[in-house]
Amino acid sequence: MARMKFICDAERCIECNGCTTACKNEHEVPWGVNRRRLVTLNDGVPGERSISVACMHCTDAPCMAVCPVDCFYRTDDEIVLHDKDLCIGCGYCFYACPFGAPQYPQAGAFGLRGKMDKCTFCAGGPEENFSVEEFRKYGRNRIAEGKLPACAEMCSTKALLAGDSAVIARIYKVRVTTRGKGEELWGWKVAYGGSDKVSDNLQPVGKA
């Protein structure tokens, strides 16, 4: 089976929040929970970058390691999901996750915050596929429909990629090696595809 992963290309992200809106709309996520959110670094200054963050479905997921009731599990596609019927809302996964993916659905004292909620890679949960109960607890199961997560499909610049890890890794590698940033990376010959419009010394051909 394929190993499903997310990759967010910070060079393409335009901070439109289309991914977060698509996630909320697709799964009717409760108010106060953001299964996917946008993080901006160096906001308003040169070098500003934005990146879309959610559960990264880790190979060695810390949420699984700390859960006292073992409510987390992996699908055949290596997607990390959790069983809300087993979850006791202790919050250990919340503190263990470096991405802040597991969240309480509501504010309040311990025991009143409810079951933990997190990104499902649009793969539903342990209930029967397409059942009312599955949608109520986990949202739409787009993976069972043969589709990709709504956040990635909605991304207008294709900054957010989702799917088979080997495939999206190849896509990202091609992007990085062919972006062309002048001499600082791969040189103008690569950037302009061998065009003779610009010489190696960055001066127009035929001029000193």
Side-chain angles (χ1 to χ4, degrees):
M1 299 294 289
R3 182 175 186 168
M4 309 300 271
K5 292 290 183 181
F6 284 118
I7 289 181
C8 185
D9 188 347
E11 294 288 340
R12 288 192 174 210
C13 181
I14 58 174
E15 200 178 346
C16 68
N17 276 291
C19 53
T20 61
T21 303
C23 179
K24 277 188 168 292
N25 182 67
E26 191 78 349
H27 304 298
E28 298 181 9
V29 178
W31 180 258
V33 173
N34 292 302
R35 292 184 177 179
R36 178 166 290 281
R37 66 190 187 282
L38 205 67
V39 175
T40 301
L41 304 176
N42 300 321
D43 194 9
V45 300
E48 175 184 324
R49 290 291 185 274
S50 294
I51 188 169
S52 182
V53 179
C55 176
M56 297 304 288
H57 304 276
C58 305
T59 301
D60 186 16
C63 56
M64 297 182 71
V66 301
C67 181
V69 293
D70 293 328
C71 74
F72 289 91
Y73 66 97
R74 296 182 191 279
T75 68
D76 292 338
D77 293 321
E78 297 293 319
I79 298 171
V80 177
L81 299 178
H82 71 304
D83 188 336
K84 289 189 176 183
D85 289 337
L86 295 177
C87 177
I88 59 175
C90 66
Y92 285 4
C93 55
F94 170 79
Y95 291 106
C97 177
F99 306 104
Q103 299 171 50
Y104 284 109
Q106 56 195 9
F110 174 77
L112 299 178
R113 297 181 179 180
K115 311 286 188 175
M116 302 304 288
D117 191 276
K118 78 172 195 72
C119 161
T120 63
F121 207 89
C122 289
E127 274 76 13
E128 182 181 354
N129 289 346
F130 314 125
S131 65
V132 174
E133 192 68 7
E134 181 188 50
F135 182 82
R136 184 181 68 82
K137 293 180 181 178
Y138 309 99
R140 185 174 171 188
N141 192 338
R142 292 173 58 90
I143 297 298
E145 296 174 12
K147 300 176 181 178
L148 290 175
C151 54
E153 288 200 352
M154 182 60 69
C155 184
S156 58
T157 61
K158 299 306 175 189
L160 184 61
L161 302 175
D164 186 330
S165 59
V167 174
I168 63 174
R170 285 197 298 270
I171 293 172
Y172 188 68
K173 181 178 180 180
V174 169
R175 285 184 183 182
V176 171
T177 56
T178 59
R179 263 179 191 137
K181 294 187 176 182
E183 291 182 319
E184 67 181 270
L185 187 60
W186 299 107
W188 287 94
K189 283 187 176 180
V190 173
Y192 286 89
S195 171
D196 58 1
K197 292 181 181 179
V198 181
S199 65
D200 288 340
N201 61 3
L202 307 184
Q203 294 177 343
V205 176
K207 293 186 179 181

PDB file of all heavy atoms in Angstrom, residues 8-13 49-50 159 172 179 181:
ATOM      1  N   CYS A   8       4.264  20.737   2.539  1.00  0.00           N
ATOM      2  CA  CYS A   8       3.862  22.111   2.244  1.00  0.00           C
ATOM      3  C   CYS A   8       5.072  22.883   1.724  1.00  0.00           C
ATOM      4  O   CYS A   8       6.108  22.948   2.389  1.00  0.00           O
ATOM      5  CB  CYS A   8       3.282  22.804   3.475  1.00  0.00           C
ATOM      6  SG  CYS A   8       2.653  24.462   3.100  1.00  0.00           S
ATOM      7  N   ASP A   9       4.929  23.441   0.539  1.00  0.00           N
ATOM      8  CA  ASP A   9       5.989  24.209  -0.112  1.00  0.00           C
ATOM      9  C   ASP A   9       5.862  25.675   0.304  1.00  0.00           C
ATOM     10  O   ASP A   9       4.994  26.402  -0.185  1.00  0.00           O
ATOM     11  CB  ASP A   9       5.844  24.066  -1.630  1.00  0.00           C
ATOM     12  CG  ASP A   9       7.001  24.676  -2.393  1.00  0.00           C
ATOM     13  OD1 ASP A   9       7.781  25.422  -1.776  1.00  0.00           O
ATOM     14  OD2 ASP A   9       7.119  24.400  -3.602  1.00  0.00           O
ATOM     15  N   ALA A  10       6.735  26.118   1.202  1.00  0.00           N
ATOM     16  CA  ALA A  10       6.659  27.486   1.724  1.00  0.00           C
ATOM     17  C   ALA A  10       6.918  28.531   0.650  1.00  0.00           C
ATOM     18  O   ALA A  10       6.495  29.680   0.791  1.00  0.00           O
ATOM     19  CB  ALA A  10       7.658  27.662   2.869  1.00  0.00           C
ATOM     20  N   GLU A  11       7.596  28.149  -0.435  1.00  0.00           N
ATOM     21  CA  GLU A  11       7.864  29.095  -1.516  1.00  0.00           C
ATOM     22  C   GLU A  11       6.600  29.407  -2.318  1.00  0.00           C
ATOM     23  O   GLU A  11       6.536  30.437  -2.993  1.00  0.00           O
ATOM     24  CB  GLU A  11       8.935  28.523  -2.459  1.00  0.00           C
ATOM     25  CG  GLU A  11      10.298  28.355  -1.839  1.00  0.00           C
ATOM     26  CD  GLU A  11      11.002  29.683  -1.606  1.00  0.00           C
ATOM     27  OE1 GLU A  11      10.616  30.682  -2.255  1.00  0.00           O
ATOM     28  OE2 GLU A  11      11.931  29.725  -0.781  1.00  0.00           O
ATOM     29  N   ARG A  12       5.604  28.529  -2.230  1.00  0.00           N
ATOM     30  CA  ARG A  12       4.379  28.728  -3.007  1.00  0.00           C
ATOM     31  C   ARG A  12       3.199  29.204  -2.169  1.00  0.00           C
ATOM     32  O   ARG A  12       2.244  29.734  -2.719  1.00  0.00           O
ATOM     33  CB  ARG A  12       3.986  27.413  -3.693  1.00  0.00           C
ATOM     34  CG  ARG A  12       4.879  27.017  -4.849  1.00  0.00           C
ATOM     35  CD  ARG A  12       4.233  25.881  -5.621  1.00  0.00           C
ATOM     36  NE  ARG A  12       4.971  25.554  -6.827  1.00  0.00           N
ATOM     37  CZ  ARG A  12       4.409  25.063  -7.932  1.00  0.00           C
ATOM     38  NH1 ARG A  12       3.120  24.860  -7.972  1.00  0.00           N
ATOM     39  NH2 ARG A  12       5.147  24.788  -8.981  1.00  0.00           N
ATOM     40  N   CYS A  13       3.248  28.986  -0.867  1.00  0.00           N
ATOM     41  CA  CYS A  13       2.113  29.342  -0.008  1.00  0.00           C
ATOM     42  C   CYS A  13       1.903  30.852  -0.008  1.00  0.00           C
ATOM     43  O   CYS A  13       2.837  31.629   0.221  1.00  0.00           O
ATOM     44  CB  CYS A  13       2.360  28.848   1.419  1.00  0.00           C
ATOM     45  SG  CYS A  13       0.987  29.209   2.547  1.00  0.00           S
ATOM     46  N   ARG A  49       7.638  33.821   5.512  1.00  0.00           N
ATOM     47  CA  ARG A  49       7.198  32.560   4.917  1.00  0.00           C
ATOM     48  C   ARG A  49       5.984  32.044   5.673  1.00  0.00           C
ATOM     49  O   ARG A  49       5.893  32.192   6.894  1.00  0.00           O
ATOM     50  CB  ARG A  49       8.310  31.496   4.980  1.00  0.00           C
ATOM     51  CG  ARG A  49       9.486  31.747   4.059  1.00  0.00           C
ATOM     52  CD  ARG A  49       9.103  31.570   2.601  1.00  0.00           C
ATOM     53  NE  ARG A  49      10.256  31.691   1.735  1.00  0.00           N
ATOM     54  CZ  ARG A  49      10.715  32.832   1.263  1.00  0.00           C
ATOM     55  NH1 ARG A  49      10.120  33.968   1.603  1.00  0.00           N
ATOM     56  NH2 ARG A  49      11.761  32.861   0.457  1.00  0.00           N
ATOM     57  N   SER A  50       5.078  31.426   4.954  1.00  0.00           N
ATOM     58  CA  SER A  50       3.911  30.809   5.573  1.00  0.00           C
ATOM     59  C   SER A  50       3.896  29.328   5.240  1.00  0.00           C
ATOM     60  O   SER A  50       4.329  28.917   4.159  1.00  0.00           O
ATOM     61  CB  SER A  50       2.624  31.465   5.066  1.00  0.00           C
ATOM     62  OG  SER A  50       2.543  32.809   5.482  1.00  0.00           O
ATOM     63  N   ALA A 159       0.728  24.597  -3.202  1.00  0.00           N
ATOM     64  CA  ALA A 159       1.787  24.595  -2.198  1.00  0.00           C
ATOM     65  C   ALA A 159       1.653  23.386  -1.290  1.00  0.00           C
ATOM     66  O   ALA A 159       2.646  22.804  -0.857  1.00  0.00           O
ATOM     67  CB  ALA A 159       1.724  25.882  -1.373  1.00  0.00           C
ATOM     68  N   TYR A 172       8.268  17.475  -5.221  1.00  0.00           N
ATOM     69  CA  TYR A 172       8.940  18.538  -4.483  1.00  0.00           C
ATOM     70  C   TYR A 172      10.406  18.651  -4.890  1.00  0.00           C
ATOM     71  O   TYR A 172      10.949  19.758  -5.009  1.00  0.00           O
ATOM     72  CB  TYR A 172       8.830  18.278  -2.982  1.00  0.00           C
ATOM     73  CG  TYR A 172       9.320  19.426  -2.136  1.00  0.00           C
ATOM     74  CD1 TYR A 172       8.642  20.632  -2.105  1.00  0.00           C
ATOM     75  CD2 TYR A 172      10.482  19.307  -1.380  1.00  0.00           C
ATOM     76  CE1 TYR A 172       9.096  21.696  -1.348  1.00  0.00           C
ATOM     77  CE2 TYR A 172      10.950  20.362  -0.615  1.00  0.00           C
ATOM     78  CZ  TYR A 172      10.253  21.550  -0.604  1.00  0.00           C
ATOM     79  OH  TYR A 172      10.708  22.601   0.149  1.00  0.00           O
ATOM     80  N   ARG A 179      13.763  25.481  -9.721  1.00  0.00           N
ATOM     81  CA  ARG A 179      13.226  26.812  -9.459  1.00  0.00           C
ATOM     82  C   ARG A 179      14.066  27.895 -10.119  1.00  0.00           C
ATOM     83  O   ARG A 179      13.553  28.833 -10.674  1.00  0.00           O
ATOM     84  CB  ARG A 179      13.154  27.059  -7.942  1.00  0.00           C
ATOM     85  CG  ARG A 179      11.778  26.786  -7.401  1.00  0.00           C
ATOM     86  CD  ARG A 179      11.686  27.004  -5.926  1.00  0.00           C
ATOM     87  NE  ARG A 179      10.422  26.461  -5.465  1.00  0.00           N
ATOM     88  CZ  ARG A 179      10.251  25.751  -4.387  1.00  0.00           C
ATOM     89  NH1 ARG A 179      11.282  25.458  -3.630  1.00  0.00           N
ATOM     90  NH2 ARG A 179       9.063  25.304  -4.057  1.00  0.00           N
ATOM     91  N   LYS A 181      17.265  30.288  -9.059  1.00  0.00           N
ATOM     92  CA  LYS A 181      17.367  31.533  -8.300  1.00  0.00           C
ATOM     93  C   LYS A 181      18.687  32.231  -8.610  1.00  0.00           C
ATOM     94  O   LYS A 181      19.326  32.800  -7.747  1.00  0.00           O
ATOM     95  CB  LYS A 181      17.281  31.238  -6.798  1.00  0.00           C
ATOM     96  CG  LYS A 181      15.934  30.706  -6.363  1.00  0.00           C
ATOM     97  CD  LYS A 181      15.887  30.612  -4.874  1.00  0.00           C
ATOM     98  CE  LYS A 181      14.510  30.164  -4.410  1.00  0.00           C
ATOM     99  NZ  LYS A 181      14.422  30.097  -2.954  1.00  0.00           N
TER     100      LYS A 181
END
